[in-house]
Amino acid sequence: MIYQKVCAAAVVAMLGVGGPAMAASDYANADLLMTADALAERGGSENLLVLDIRPLEAFREGHIPGAVQIDPNAVVEPDSPVSGDLRSIDDLARLLGDHGVAADQEILLYDDKGGFHAARMFWLLEYLGHQNVSLLNGGLKAWTGAGHALETGDARAVEARRFVPAITPRRFASAEYILEREGDQNTLVVDVRPTKMYDAGHIPWAQSIPWKGNLTEAGTMKTADELLAHFAAAGVTPDKNVVVHCQSGLASSHSYVALRLLGFPRVRTYHRSWAEWGEASDLPKAAN
C-alpha cells in the first residue's frame, strides 16, 4: 500500500490547530503530559494520585515522594497463552481500586523507561473510561534531572477506592477488527516495533513506525511538529482510523499516547499485538 507523504504543516491544518492560537510545536492535548516542575508545584495535592509503574525493588530504591507503586506486569494475565494479555476487567478494576484509583481521581503516571511501561497504564485507564490521566514527561529521569528529591522505602498507605470501569470500545482493537478492515483506505495499522522485528514478520498492510521515534535523546516526548512529521511520513494523518500494535501491548501504547497528544480523534491499541497475530495460523503475515 502506497501512502502519500504529507508535510507537518498540512497535518496541523487537518487538526485545526494552526494559526496564532496554537503553533505547530504545541500539542493539541497538552494536558496529557505534565512536566517535573509542574508536578513539584503540586506536591502533596490530595486531588492528584501519582502512580509509579516500576518493579517494587526499583521503587524502594528511590521514587517521587508520595507516589504509589504498581508493578508493570500487574495488569497482565499470567495464565494466558498470549504474552502481555490483560487480566479480566473485574480483576483490573480491583487492582486499580486497591491502589487508590477512582473515576474522580486525577492520575499521573511515570516510569524510568521513557514512558514505555507508564503508557500501557495510560491506554488501559482510557480504555476503562478514566477521564483524567496524564504522563510525567521524561519520567523519573526528568524529575531527578530537574533537581527534585526522591524518597526511599515502601509506598505511602493509600485508601482503597471503588473503581467502576466504563469501557470505551473506540480505544480497543482486536485481530478481527484489523482483519475486517484489510484494504480499507481509511484505516491504518501501525507497527511500532523495531525495524528488525517488523522485517522478520508483520501484518501485510501495517506501516513500520518504531516507537522510539517518539522520544528525544533526553527521553521526553518530541515536539508536536516533530511527531506530526514522524507519523505523516508514513501517511498517518488525523483523518484516518489508526490502530497501533507492537509485540505485546507495551510499545504500542507509547505511540497511542503520542497520537492522543497530537489530537488524533480515532486511535486504538491492539494490545495482544504480534504475540497473538504472529502465532495464529489463520492470520496473514508478510516478511521483508
Side-chain angles (χ1 to χ4, degrees):
M1 189 177 296
I2 300 175
Y3 295 98
Q4 180 180 5
K5 290 188 177 181
V6 183
C7 68
V11 180
V12 172
M14 289 183 189
L15 280 168
V17 297
M22 189 170 189
S25 59
D26 296 324
Y27 303 114
N29 290 323
D31 59 321
L32 302 184
L33 280 184
M34 187 181 294
T35 66
D37 288 340
L39 174 59
E41 291 176 3
R42 296 190 56 184
S45 172
E46 293 183 0
N47 297 321
L48 178 65
L49 178 63
V50 180
L51 295 181
D52 182 313
I53 314 300
R54 296 184 299 150
L56 182 58
E57 182 178 349
F59 178 87
R60 286 172 169 165
E61 290 176 354
H63 56 267
I64 293 174
V68 174
Q69 182 263 349
I70 300 182
D71 189 274
N73 291 319
V75 300
V76 174
E77 173 52 61
D79 297 325
S80 175
V82 177
S83 176
D85 197 12
L86 296 176
R87 292 181 180 272
S88 70
I89 298 300
D90 287 344
D91 284 349
L92 292 171
R94 279 192 293 271
L95 171 72
L96 293 168
D98 287 348
H99 287 83
V101 179
D104 62 347
Q105 180 74 62
E106 181 182 358
I107 306 296
L108 177 72
L109 307 163
Y110 78 89
D111 60 28
D112 56 4
K113 304 293 184 185
F116 185 74
H117 290 118
R120 177 168 62 183
M121 187 64 77
F122 177 97
W123 165 76
L124 179 59
L125 283 166
E126 288 210 325
Y127 171 55
L128 296 178
H130 202 287
Q131 300 296 313
N132 196 355
V133 57
S134 60
L135 289 185
L136 178 62
N137 195 12
L140 194 65
K141 181 179 179 180
W143 177 261
T144 56
H148 303 302
L150 299 176
E151 64 180 15
T152 59
D154 291 328
R156 65 180 175 88
V158 62
E159 180 182 356
R161 306 285 299 277
R162 183 167 181 262
F163 181 77
V164 181
I167 302 300
T168 309
R170 64 190 176 91
R171 298 301 182 197
F172 175 86
S174 63
E176 291 75 17
Y177 178 91
I178 294 172
L179 194 60
E180 288 170 0
R181 286 158 181 80
E182 179 181 4
D184 179 0
Q185 298 298 316
N186 292 315
T187 300
L188 303 180
V189 178
V190 176
D191 185 330
V192 309
R193 296 176 299 159
T195 303
K196 286 185 178 180
M197 296 180 70
Y198 175 87
D199 288 344
H202 58 266
I203 298 173
W205 53 97
Q207 297 294 298
S208 175
I209 310 180
W211 75 277
K212 285 192 174 181
N214 302 330
L215 295 172
T216 67
E217 290 185 2
T220 57
M221 279 286 187
K222 289 182 176 177
T223 61
D225 52 349
E226 291 171 328
L227 287 175
L228 286 164
H230 172 58
F231 288 105
V236 180
T237 53
D239 57 314
K240 305 294 186 182
N241 300 310
V242 184
V243 179
V244 287
H245 87 85
C246 58
Q247 185 66 30
S248 57
L250 283 165
S252 56
S253 297
H254 198 280
S255 289
Y256 170 90
V257 173
L259 292 166
R260 289 279 289 112
L261 275 171
L262 295 174
F264 279 54
R266 293 174 295 279
V267 187
R268 298 169 182 256
T269 291
Y270 172 34
H271 87 275
R272 287 186 162 203
S273 291
W274 190 251
E276 176 182 64
W277 193 287
E279 294 298 320
S281 60
D282 59 340
L283 294 175
K285 303 167 187 66
N288 293 349

